[in-house]
Amino acid sequence: MRVGIGYDLHRLGAERPLKLGGIEFPGQPGLIGHSDADPVMHAVADAILGAAALGDIGEHFPDTDPEWKDADSARILAEAARLALANRSLAPVNVDVNVIAERPRLGDKKDAMRARLAEVLSLPVESISVKARTAEGLGPVGRGEAIEVQAVVMMRNATRTSDQ
Ligand code: MG
């Protein structure tokens, strides 16, 4: 078993729909970024690369690469998982995500985000956790200038099937 940690923060204010965990939040200000700026996908992808000790998403998906311009970040997550499997024989076991944002309230969209992450990672939805909190009005996240995401992933050796 191996564990990885991921973190991402994006500034709010883009003329695009807010997207978190592959789910759009219509009517909310969007996040600024090279791809679709989905910090949930990015933090989970970074956690997977971290568990595999394969560097970070900035190395694999640079914001200077036109390939990832406005890209669906589900592709970045899928590619991170593919790299971990191909290079380290590691597959995700479970994922835990914190979304820190003053708004929107994630509410019933948390389950849609879990379902989308589960789909991209080929995991049961019970293996994906999405939790939400605010920053209590403090700092850039608290002022509604940014959204912050933390992620932890457990990975298993995918060449063995008896260790789960
Ligand atoms: Mg990012």
Side-chain angles (χ1 to χ4, degrees):
M1 293 286 214
R2 297 182 54 151
V3 68
I5 183 172
Y7 170 84
D8 200 17
L9 177 144
H10 281 256
R11 190 184 290 269
L12 282 154
E15 296 287 325
R16 58 149 62 105
L18 175 64
K19 213 165 145 189
L20 296 170
I23 305 302
E24 288 195 3
F25 289 75
Q28 296 290 330
L31 291 164
I32 297 167
H34 180 68
S35 62
D36 66 1
D38 185 331
V40 174
M41 292 287 175
H42 295 175
V44 177
D46 224 23
I48 286 174
L49 292 174
L54 285 171
D56 59 48
I57 64 168
E59 295 168 34
H60 292 279
F61 315 103
D63 62 8
T64 50
D65 186 345
E67 166 74 15
W68 304 107
K69 174 85 180 128
D70 297 322
D72 179 352
S73 292
R75 286 176 51 215
I76 289 176
L77 177 56
E79 177 62 9
R82 191 196 66 75
L83 288 167
L85 189 61
N87 292 282
R88 301 278 193 263
S89 299
L90 288 170
V93 174
N94 75 298
V95 175
D96 189 15
V97 173
N98 284 338
V99 179
I100 305 136
E102 287 312 283
R103 68 189 78 79
R105 290 288 158 101
L106 302 188
D108 55 7
K109 291 203 170 179
K110 276 191 286 193
D111 282 343
M113 294 164 64
R114 293 172 62 215
R116 180 61 181 139
L117 289 165
E119 181 180 39
V120 175
L121 295 174
S122 302
L123 282 174
V125 73
E126 294 77 16
S127 300
I128 310 283
S129 160
V130 173
K131 313 197 298 294
R133 55 158 297 152
T134 72
E136 301 278 339
L138 297 170
V141 174
R143 289 191 297 270
E145 296 167 6
I147 290 178
E148 195 174 29
V149 176
Q150 303 164 334
V152 171
V153 62
M154 181 70 76
M155 309 279 284
R156 66 178 170 87
N157 185 334
T159 59
R160 291 162 57 194
T161 54
S162 58
D163 59 357
Q164 261 202 96

